[in-house]
Amino acid sequence: MEPWTNRFLDKKTEREGDHRTPFQRDKARILHSAAFRRLQSKTQVLGVGMSDFYRTRLTHSLEASQIGQGIAAQLRTKYPALTKKLGLNDILIEALCLAHDIGHPPFGHGGEVALHYMMRDHGGFEGNGQTFRIVTRLEPYTADAGMNLSRRTLLGLVKYPNFIDNLHNPSVISEQQSLVNKRQIKAKQWHPPKGLYHCDKDIFDWLLAPLSEADKKHFSAINTSTTHHSKTKFKSFDCSIMELADDIAYSVHDLEDAIVMGIANQQQFEHEVVKPIKQLGEGWLSDHIEQLSEKLFSNEHHLRKDAIGALVNCFITNIEINETDATFSDELLVYNATFPKLYQRCISVFKQYVFKRVILKPELQLLEYKGQQIVMELFEAFNSDPLRLLPDNTKTRWLEEEANNNGHRVISDYIAGMTDGFASKLYSTLFLPTGNGLPDPLN
């Protein structure tokens, strides 16, 4: 497995009787991190505090982890020789799914848009890039190497292996839009390109060091666009499993929340999901989608749970392993877990429905806009006088980074790590006459 089990810091911590594998250690570091715990109070789809039933980022990550293990079990049965050759590891997949969202800021995409806007001249902000930054720099398991995870775990967390600077399309944002009052910015114009921060290039270079020069260059290849930001083309085998687990959890479990909360209705679902899936042709899902719809919207909770389980099982059991590009020399890049075309279309129908009927619902967009404003106001306040307003630990980091003209990134890191509740209370403390209570410290 070497060099993929190596760590950035060659730190040997001797603990008597500890016989864990590198991936078991990685999972433990993720599970016990403050960044992971904070997911319990970060928005997944529905705002934290609207109900005690639906998913937060934490429960979503736990469900994605369970689905990821299910995918690994299925692939091991279908492709025993290939998965053995690739070193498919359940603990590794579990760790990736647990960690995949820890870089997301408070208030979901509203917080991401806000931070990207405030960081527009300082390297940008993006949730997946922030995840990489947390695990490699910020989480204080080590002094300055984050969780110091093994190289293969880091590779599995990199969904977009290039830098925001290279993926950014200036034409997406008009010159006028970049100059308006922050309350007037349009979120769709400030969704960031998906990638890493250039200030973390040294660790990314270390991560890719075992690859050939040709593989490094090809792995970071992008599809350019004239109307959107550019996108990366490739991801590692382990990352592809994590991403499928995330898609299934988002498409199915978040749909369950929307049904229970009365946001999704059966008539819309039948028109926008049942009908197009039936039209796709043969396949178990096409044959059973009508019965599943009846169960999903039934008043009998056990029937809804049965339908949710059937949908998850259907997607998991149809996943395949395919070659992405045979020109790669490293097999972790040659192969990806994928849906066959029929089920890729099916999952896309579910994702589009959740996005259109849940994410874009005006009531939820109002909350997202409110969170967006809170994040921008906090950033503006801390940036106005960092030495006065930042907590001591963050202030120390700001002084160190400001010497390299990177102080804005420290403020972005601080706000991105906040939960929805902490950010709201801090905003109240700073800007509302009645908000004189101090939130619990976050350094």
Side-chain angles (χ1 to χ4, degrees), residues 276-277 279-281 285 315 339-352:
I277 286 180
Q279 291 174 343
L280 288 175
L285 189 55
F315 285 120
F339 285 119
K341 287 184 179 179
L342 174 64
Y343 282 90
Q344 182 59 56
R345 294 194 194 104
C346 289
I347 200 79
S348 295
V349 169
F350 274 88
K351 288 170 70 175
Q352 289 166 11

Side-chain angles (χ1 to χ4, degrees), residues 111-241:
E112 185 175 55
V113 164
L115 284 174
H116 183 54
Y117 176 76
M118 301 306 288
M119 290 291 290
R120 62 194 182 279
D121 298 322
H122 307 283
F125 179 89
E126 198 273 326
N128 298 282
Q130 192 68 16
T131 293
F132 185 76
R133 186 165 173 79
I134 287 171
V135 299
T136 59
R137 290 201 192 276
L138 302 180
E139 186 66 33
Y141 183 85
T142 62
D144 53 11
M147 298 183 196
N148 198 30
L149 302 177
S150 62
R151 187 181 254 124
R152 181 161 174 174
T153 300
L154 287 180
L155 185 69
L157 286 172
V158 177
K159 293 169 69 172
Y160 309 104
N162 209 313
F163 301 104
I164 286 179
D165 315 48
N166 301 330
L167 299 162
H168 182 260
N169 181 355
S171 66
V172 174
I173 304 168
S174 68
E175 183 179 348
Q176 294 79 12
Q177 179 65 18
S178 67
L179 299 175
V180 299
N181 182 288
K182 60 181 179 294
R183 292 200 173 181
Q184 297 176 310
I185 71 166
K186 292 179 173 58
K188 65 181 180 181
Q189 292 183 308
W190 287 97
H191 285 296
K194 295 182 180 295
L196 305 174
Y197 306 144
H198 207 270
C199 58
D200 297 323
K201 184 178 184 298
D202 57 334
I203 301 183
F204 184 62
D205 288 345
W206 171 83
L207 171 62
L208 300 189
L211 302 177
S212 68
E213 290 303 315
D215 275 6
K216 289 178 190 177
K217 184 176 180 180
H218 196 38
F219 186 51
S220 296
I222 60 177
N223 285 318
T224 57
S225 171
T226 56
T227 57
H228 299 90
H229 293 306
S230 300
K231 295 181 178 179
T232 56
K233 294 181 179 181
F234 302 109
K235 57 183 66 68
S236 72
F237 172 67
D238 304 311
C239 184
S240 70
I241 296 176

Side-chain angles (χ1 to χ4, degrees), residues 32-78:
H32 294 291
S33 68
F36 181 74
R37 288 196 301 277
R38 290 189 185 114
L39 295 177
Q40 67 187 306
S41 297
K42 289 193 178 187
T43 294
Q44 168 61 14
V45 171
L46 303 174
V48 172
M50 290 174 64
S51 168
D52 60 0
F53 167 79
Y54 53 75
R55 275 86 179 169
T56 63
R57 288 271 180 193
L58 179 66
T59 56
H60 161 77
S61 298
L62 293 170
E63 288 176 333
S65 174
Q66 186 271 328
I67 292 170
Q69 292 175 74
I71 295 171
Q74 285 291 326
L75 294 180
R76 191 175 292 107
T77 301
K78 285 184 179 180

Side-chain angles (χ1 to χ4, degrees), residues 1-45:
M1 288 292 291
E2 286 195 23
W4 292 111
T5 54
N6 290 346
R7 303 180 188 277
F8 186 73
L9 288 183
D10 189 21
K11 176 185 173 187
K12 304 293 184 184
T13 303
E14 298 296 334
R15 291 191 173 96
E16 186 177 355
D18 187 353
H19 302 294
R20 292 175 299 169
T21 66
F23 301 137
Q24 286 174 322
R25 291 188 174 92
D26 289 347
K27 178 191 166 186
R29 293 177 189 187
I30 292 163
L31 197 60
H32 294 291
S33 68
F36 181 74
R37 288 196 301 277
R38 290 189 185 114
L39 295 177
Q40 67 187 306
S41 297
K42 289 193 178 187
T43 294
Q44 168 61 14
V45 171

